Amino acid sequence: MLNLLIEYAQREGIIAEPGFTQKQVHWALLFDEAGRFLGAHPLGLDDKKHPGEPFNRCPNLTLSEIKAGGTGCRHFLVDSAEVVTLLTKADAEPDTKLRAKHAYFVDLLRQAAIVEPRLGPITDALADPDALGRIRQALAGQTPSAKTTQNVTFAIQGVDGVSYLVRQSTWHDWWRAFRKTLSKDKAGRKARDNQAAMRCLASGELVTPASVHPKITGLSDVGGLAMGDSLASFKQDAFRSFGLAQSANAAMSEEMAKTYAEALNHLIRHAVSLAGAKVAYWYAGEVPGDAIRLVVEGLDDLLGPGAAFDDDSADAERDARARARALMEAVKAGDRHATDLGSARYYALTLSGAGGRVMVRDWMQGQFADLATSVTAWFDDLAIVRTGGDGEANSPRLNSILHSLLPPRPAGQTYENWTKPITGLRQPMWHAALRRQPIPDAAAAKVLLQHRSFVVTGEFETAFGYEGQWQHPRSLLHIRMGLLKAFLNRKSNPGEPTMESYLNEEHPAPAYHCGRLLAVLTEIQRRALPNVSAGITQRYYGAASTTPGLVLGRLIQLCQHHLAKPDLREDTRIFLESRLGAIACRIGDRIPPTLTLEQQSLFALGYYQQKANMYSRKAEAAIETDEATTASE
């Protein structure tokens, strides 16, 4: 894995020299060539998702180098607003530690002014309390105002425009020499003298291994630390093989360790979130589409902004789905831009943080052609008719699928605690999408549990919108029914019938038709008693979906009273009775007494698809036609 990260860094031209790194800079302090302060300018603050502007070659010290630098040791040229300008919250007086850091930072600028003279006047301004006060006022007066933790750098306004000193190369050699002084402390020199040369795991060369590898950043929202986490680190004696301490157990040169760390940090900045983890992924070779992001982010991300559709905009959605299907077919066939998918590969690394360490949750790699085929099959299996019965529902995001396995999130509960029950399903579902593996039984069981609650509480009826108002629960219903369909299709053996997106009146499974039967019984009650507060679905769905033999026979008898209601039109009664009879014939002579997990899934889909079919415009037109025919007779 590390060698692939190093190859990625080299291919993408990622700067990986020790002592340099990419940083997000939020503010530029602008000076003229004479050193007069001209103002503070925001950099990239309009982008809320990625605030600041990336600077690729910023000076940077490791934690061990900062410790070796002594009291107040700080980075050079780019640092936080509080260190550079003594900016504090609520204009509080800077403490002794902060003043020491500021003094160290200013001293670094003064030393570097030997090779970059333009730093001299800036150093004088930062050392002058009055000038420093004006700089703080400029930062505080911005909208939004600068935060103490946001990064600051320096720019010079000249006749040729604005020049950022951090982007100049005049100070590079000086910085390299300065870093070497930090490793010349007595303890560090002794440690290096006693460290024998070892074979670098990445380059194969004999090197003095780096004692500490660079931190991996960007995982603070998935359990990591804001200061970064270690991927290779050994502290406990049990892990110190042959007496090797720290990172010598994973022997790598400082350059190679820096390279893999920078590559991983770069990938994490563009990673996708997956239920409490992050997926850092990349492709090798030319590929026609981002198949992994399509799975995680859904259809909207692939099509670009403005691609989200309501259920009412069927024409727009059909067009969007057609374009997405065309792209995925191009990905699968490899004919988009004459792409040769034979050599294209994908790599996906699932990460989170825990206790200051990077946790590698999953690692996948393979041919992009196989990935494209799996992703296309994933969306095919998830495709399900919408509640209105006309057209298919939107293709869901993987995070939405995982969240559908859970009850509603209680107010005040953290995301981590809410998603704990599905932590063990994250990897199997990820592999199901990218490797065409089966849906776990545990996922189907959780769907059925939440779906029964959904029906009993009446949210199912709300999703269908009897009053013509399409409401939010429908999307959750689409996701759960699509997942049950995928679960059954991936359970089926070759030659066995698979579940279709729409109602299948010829399906051979009695459990499927038991669900259809309950849907028709519910419709009979709704038409006979339109104002009933709790229908038979809410009262009997749980029992009918697990032990239909104990429930459905009695409900059929009860529905005869509804069919005999004088308010029920004769033509409607005949139409519903014919549906009831056709379904009973498909069930056969005996209603199943109990249902297994797969059969319960069939029951749920039969109920849903029959319901959607009855609410389609085609079904309503059939009823209207029967009514008109009866009236004319």
Side-chain angles (χ1 to χ4, degrees):
M1 181 186 75
L2 294 181
N3 66 312
L4 292 171
L5 287 169
I6 291 171
E7 289 176 6
Y8 173 79
Q10 294 170 344
R11 184 172 64 249
E12 298 296 322
I14 296 173
I15 302 299
E17 180 183 353
F20 299 87
T21 191
Q22 185 187 80
K23 292 184 180 181
Q24 296 293 118
V25 182
H26 306 85
W27 299 93
L29 301 181
L30 187 61
F31 294 82
D32 64 14
E33 293 179 334
R36 288 188 294 269
F37 177 64
L38 302 179
H41 292 268
L43 300 174
L45 291 181
D46 292 337
D47 188 345
K48 295 181 180 179
K49 189 175 182 181
H50 298 291
E53 181 178 327
F55 284 70
N56 291 328
R57 204 174 177 85
C58 298
N60 187 68
L61 297 175
T62 65
L63 182 59
S64 61
E65 288 172 336
I66 289 177
K67 290 180 179 179
T71 304
C73 182
R74 294 304 303 171
H75 303 290
F76 172 62
L77 273 183
V78 177
D79 213 320
S80 65
E82 62 178 354
V83 170
V84 177
T85 69
L86 294 178
L87 181 69
T88 58
K89 295 180 180 179
D91 294 328
E93 188 67 20
D95 58 23
T96 305
K97 280 187 177 181
L98 181 56
R99 290 190 180 278
K101 293 176 181 179
H102 173 73
Y104 198 105
F105 181 85
V106 173
D107 186 61
L108 285 180
L109 298 182
R110 184 176 290 107
Q111 294 179 47
I114 298 174
V115 295
E116 177 51 81
R118 290 180 293 179
L119 285 173
I122 295 176
T123 302
D124 295 337
L126 295 181
D128 180 4
D130 293 335
L132 195 59
R134 290 193 294 272
I135 295 174
R136 285 197 298 270
Q137 289 179 358
L139 287 171
Q142 297 289 327
T143 304
S145 60
K147 297 180 181 178
T148 58
T149 56
Q150 290 178 329
N151 282 336
V152 173
T153 193
F154 308 102
I156 303 295
Q157 177 69 61
V159 293
D160 296 328
V162 176
S163 173
Y164 291 93
L165 295 179
V166 71
R167 287 179 173 160
Q168 307 304 308
S169 60
T170 52
W171 51 269
H172 286 185
D173 289 339
W174 172 87
W175 177 247
R176 295 184 183 104
F178 172 78
R179 284 188 64 247
K180 290 181 179 179
T181 65
L182 299 180
S183 63
K184 289 182 178 179
D185 61 291
K186 183 178 180 180
R189 184 167 62 250
K190 182 179 179 181
R192 291 181 65 86
D193 290 343
N194 292 337
Q195 178 65 65
M198 299 179 68
R199 191 71 64 180
C200 177
L201 296 178
S203 66
E205 299 176 354
L206 281 174
V207 299
T208 300
S211 60
V212 177
H213 289 194
K215 298 286 188 182
I216 306 302
T217 58
L219 300 177
S220 58
D221 55 339
V222 288
L225 302 178
M227 63 182 295
D229 305 278
S230 298
L231 182 62
S233 177
F234 306 86
K235 289 185 177 181
Q236 285 75 23
D237 292 338
F239 301 110
R240 296 182 181 180
S241 303
F242 304 102
L244 299 174
Q246 294 185 304
S247 295
N249 274 299
M252 299 183 73
S253 67
E254 187 180 20
E255 290 75 17
M256 289 295 99
K258 179 68 174 178
T259 301
Y260 88 71
E262 286 297 315
L264 195 50
N265 287 334
H266 178 269
L267 289 168
I268 290 174
R269 284 192 288 268
H270 302 88
V272 291
S273 297
L274 183 64
K278 284 191 175 182
V279 178
Y281 68 96
W282 69 100
Y283 304 107
E286 185 181 356
V287 297
D290 193 343
I292 291 178
R293 187 170 292 272
L294 175 63
V295 170
V296 179
E297 299 292 344
L299 184 65
D300 297 352
D301 187 80
L302 179 69
L303 299 177
F309 304 103
D310 295 329
D311 282 290
D312 294 330
S313 55
D315 293 339
E317 185 192 344
R318 276 194 291 270
D319 179 62
R321 290 182 60 82
R323 286 184 285 139
R325 175 62 58 186
L327 176 55
M328 289 311 300
E329 288 299 327
V331 168
K332 185 168 63 173
D335 58 1
R336 185 175 174 86
H337 305 307
T339 303
D340 178 15
L341 293 185
S343 59
R345 296 183 63 82
Y346 75 94
Y347 307 93
L349 186 62
T350 306
L351 305 167
S352 64
R357 295 178 179 273
V358 177
M359 309 301 291
V360 179
R361 302 295 184 183
D362 188 48
W363 165 249
M364 279 196 289
Q365 60 176 315
Q367 296 290 335
F368 184 84
D370 296 336
L371 172 68
T373 302
S374 297
V375 170
T376 305
W378 174 250
F379 286 114
D380 284 342
D381 286 341
L382 289 173
I384 194 71
V385 62
R386 67 174 67 206
T387 52
D390 300 298
E392 292 180 357
N394 286 342
S395 300
R397 303 181 178 192
L398 185 54
N399 277 324
S400 299
I401 294 173
L402 289 169
H403 294 163
S404 74
L405 308 180
L406 298 166
R409 180 177 173 182
Q413 187 178 40
T414 64
Y415 180 83
E416 291 75 15
N417 288 335
W418 180 54
T419 55
K420 273 184 180 179
I422 60 170
T423 301
L425 291 172
R426 181 174 56 205
Q427 180 176 330
M429 293 296 292
W430 182 233
H431 285 207
L434 268 59
R435 288 185 168 174
R436 208 171 182 177
Q437 293 183 0
I439 307 294
D441 288 0
K446 287 183 179 294
V447 167
L448 290 171
L449 178 63
Q450 299 305 324
H451 181 62
R452 281 195 289 269
S453 174
F454 203 64
V455 173
V456 171
T457 58
E459 292 178 280
F460 185 93
E461 307 298 338
T462 303
F464 267 88
Y466 286 147
E467 303 301 323
Q469 298 175 353
W470 300 97
Q471 300 187 29
H472 176 68
R474 72 180 184 276
S475 60
L476 194 57
L477 184 57
H478 292 157
I479 293 170
R480 287 172 175 164
M481 293 300 101
L483 185 57
L484 287 179
K485 172 175 168 282
F487 166 72
L488 290 169
N489 283 348
R490 298 193 177 197
K491 274 276 188 180
S492 61
N493 297 317
E496 293 181 353
T498 58
M499 291 301 302
E500 298 177 3
S501 302
Y502 298 85
L503 178 68
N504 180 10
E505 297 181 353
E506 304 300 321
H507 197 284
Y512 178 78
H513 298 289
C514 286
R516 292 183 59 207
L517 180 64
L518 181 62
V520 174
L521 293 175
T522 303
E523 180 67 8
I524 291 172
Q525 182 190 50
R526 186 180 76 85
R527 289 183 176 267
L529 302 171
N531 297 320
V532 67
S533 58
I536 59 174
T537 298
Q538 293 168 261
R539 297 173 61 187
Y540 296 105
Y541 181 89
S545 63
T546 54
T547 56
L550 299 177
V551 179
L552 291 182
R554 183 171 53 180
L555 291 180
I556 291 174
Q557 292 178 345
L558 292 174
C559 87
Q560 302 306 316
H561 299 288
H562 298 316
L563 289 171
K565 289 279 184 181
D567 294 339
L568 189 66
R569 293 175 61 95
E570 179 66 16
D571 41 19
T572 301
R573 181 184 62 79
I574 294 173
F575 179 84
L576 292 173
E577 281 184 333
S578 65
R579 285 288 182 96
L580 207 58
I583 294 172
C585 290
R586 298 302 308 180
I587 294 176
D589 298 334
R590 182 171 176 265
I591 296 175
T594 59
L595 300 181
T596 64
L597 179 66
E598 289 83 357
Q599 291 170 334
Q600 290 177 41
S601 301
L602 284 165
F603 182 97
L605 280 167
Y607 180 82
Y608 172 79
Q609 290 180 338
Q610 180 65 56
K611 199 87 163 169
N613 178 267
M614 288 189 296
Y615 280 89
S616 66
R617 288 190 289 269
K618 182 179 179 181
E620 292 293 341
I623 293 178
E624 291 174 3
T625 300
D626 286 350
E627 291 176 351
T629 302
T630 303
S632 63
E633 293 174 354

